[in-house]
Amino acid sequence: MTQSVKVRSGTVPPPTAPKRLSVPGGTLGSWFLPVVAAVIMFVVIFAVAPAASSYLGLSLLLSSLLPLVLACLAQMFVIAAGDVDLGIGSFVGLVNVTVAAILPTHTLPGILLLIGLVVAYALMGMLIAVRRLPSIIVTLGMSFVWLGLAILILPTPGGTVPEGIVSFVDWSPPLVPGTIVAIVVVTVVVALFLNRTRYGAVLRGSGSNPEGIRRAGWSVVRTKMALYGIAGLLGVLSGIVLSGQAASGDPNIATSYVLLSIAGVIVGGGSFRGGDISPVGTVAGALVIGLIATLLQFLDVPSSYQVGTQGLVLVLILVLRAGVTWWRRRVETGGLA
């Protein structure tokens, strides 16, 4: 998180130096708890169903979570700008029907449309920044646009996803399932970009301290466009992966991603203050969100209780996170907080 200080034009305001351990994935307190929660869930699942720890078991367990991980990371970049995206689910659905209904017969127009969707996301960020519009209203309105376009392209579920995409998503390297490789690579790339590059610090600072970024010579409008553009790119990747797994198109295939992605970011240590995010925590939060339902099924929890139990688990994690934050602040302030 950056501070507003006078510096040379074109430089980045120096970040604060809190008394905590800093790593490429963010501060220890922000990502540690969701990572522990995800590990505990894996341990319990493996204890209840040992077959889940095999190569095939891990592939089946995690394959459906990769699109959610990408959607949560997309939501994380929007939340980094201090905004909330209520259209990510419909956007992923639009990408899905584009891949299933347009790419097989019109490859070039389909690719151009996917690129145009990323550009449209960046322009949406520019509109929000320039006109100072509420992101909730804009993204909610755009969610209907994305859904309407998806229904125009594919009114009913169907279509055929190109075999190349299906084969790529089903990639099975030796020793480690391809889904694990993909999750690790995406997590490392995003974490290093946001926490170990100058422009990553600028992007985080534009959400937490836009005035400081402006005084440093950076355009807040452009940084918000970049955050939304990256979110759009991750949303397109989420839709492509989801299409490869489903092998068909459905405009409503990812409607649940709106709330799940927000929950994944918050459970993963992020906040709505802008700039306060953790890529590692977000990925862990996405895994926690996705594994809760699987864990409850393995524990034979009746379906009528599963929704309530999922909510209780999430609330428990958030309470523990609040406790960790309170304890860390006491340590930093010498017991004054």
Side-chain angles (χ1 to χ4, degrees):
M1 193 173 295
T2 55
Q3 289 182 327
S4 177
V5 295
K6 294 182 179 180
V7 293
R8 294 183 297 108
S9 178
T11 62
V12 183
T16 57
K19 300 176 181 178
R20 64 185 76 168
L21 177 61
S22 180
V23 293
T27 58
L28 178 60
S30 62
W31 61 262
F32 182 73
L33 186 59
V35 169
V36 171
V39 170
I40 291 175
M41 288 191 174
F42 275 112
V43 171
V44 175
I45 289 175
F46 294 160
V48 175
S53 61
S54 65
Y55 185 100
L56 179 59
L58 283 172
S59 298
L60 295 175
L61 186 65
L62 294 175
S63 60
S64 62
L65 299 184
L66 180 56
L68 178 60
V69 167
L70 293 169
C72 286
L73 288 173
Q75 185 72 250
M76 182 194 72
F77 276 93
V78 175
I79 290 179
D83 299 336
V84 178
D85 184 6
L86 298 183
I88 186 64
S90 299
F91 183 79
V92 173
L94 175 57
V95 174
N96 169 240
V97 301
T98 299
V99 172
I102 297 180
L103 275 184
T105 55
H106 303 85
T107 304
L108 182 57
I111 293 175
L112 293 177
L113 177 56
L114 294 177
I115 295 174
L117 291 177
V118 176
V119 174
Y121 239 70
L123 293 177
M124 181 172 64
M126 181 186 71
L127 176 65
I128 292 173
V130 172
R131 305 302 299 177
R132 298 186 179 182
L133 301 173
S135 61
I136 292 180
I137 302 300
V138 175
T139 57
L140 178 62
M142 290 304 298
S143 71
F144 296 113
V145 174
W146 308 136
L147 180 60
L149 290 174
I151 294 175
L152 285 176
I153 295 173
L154 191 65
T156 58
T160 303
V161 176
E163 185 62 32
I165 294 178
V166 175
S167 300
F168 178 76
V169 173
D170 290 338
W171 175 56
S172 299
L175 301 179
V176 180
T179 304
I180 295 180
V181 176
I183 291 176
V184 170
V185 170
V186 170
T187 304
V188 171
V189 169
V190 174
L192 290 178
F193 170 68
L194 284 177
N195 296 283
R196 288 293 183 265
T197 66
R198 186 172 116 174
Y199 194 59
V202 171
L203 292 180
R204 287 185 289 111
S206 67
S208 61
N209 188 11
E211 183 59 30
I213 293 297
R214 188 179 293 108
R215 292 184 180 182
W218 296 88
S219 170
V220 176
V221 173
R222 291 180 181 176
T223 55
K224 179 158 288 193
M225 287 182 64
L227 286 168
Y228 272 79
I230 296 173
L233 176 60
L234 289 167
V236 167
L237 292 177
S238 176
I240 291 175
V241 173
L242 189 59
S243 300
Q245 294 175 351
S248 63
D250 183 353
N252 298 300
I253 194 172
T255 52
S256 63
Y257 280 12
V258 176
L259 297 181
L260 291 179
S261 62
I262 296 174
V265 176
I266 301 305
V267 169
S271 73
F272 295 115
R273 291 176 295 183
D276 189 5
I277 55 172
S278 170
V280 174
T282 296
V283 172
L287 294 178
V288 169
I289 297 295
L291 288 173
I292 289 177
T294 303
L295 178 59
L296 294 177
Q297 291 176 0
F298 281 131
L299 293 176
D300 293 327
V301 176
S303 58
S304 57
Y305 296 104
Q306 287 187 10
V307 175
T309 305
Q310 288 176 345
L312 289 175
V313 172
L314 293 178
V315 170
L316 176 61
I317 294 174
L318 292 176
V319 170
L320 290 175
R321 173 191 160 188
V324 171
T325 302
W326 173 81
W327 175 81
R328 188 177 66 232
R329 287 178 178 174
R330 283 185 60 86
V331 172
E332 293 172 0
T333 60
L336 299 179

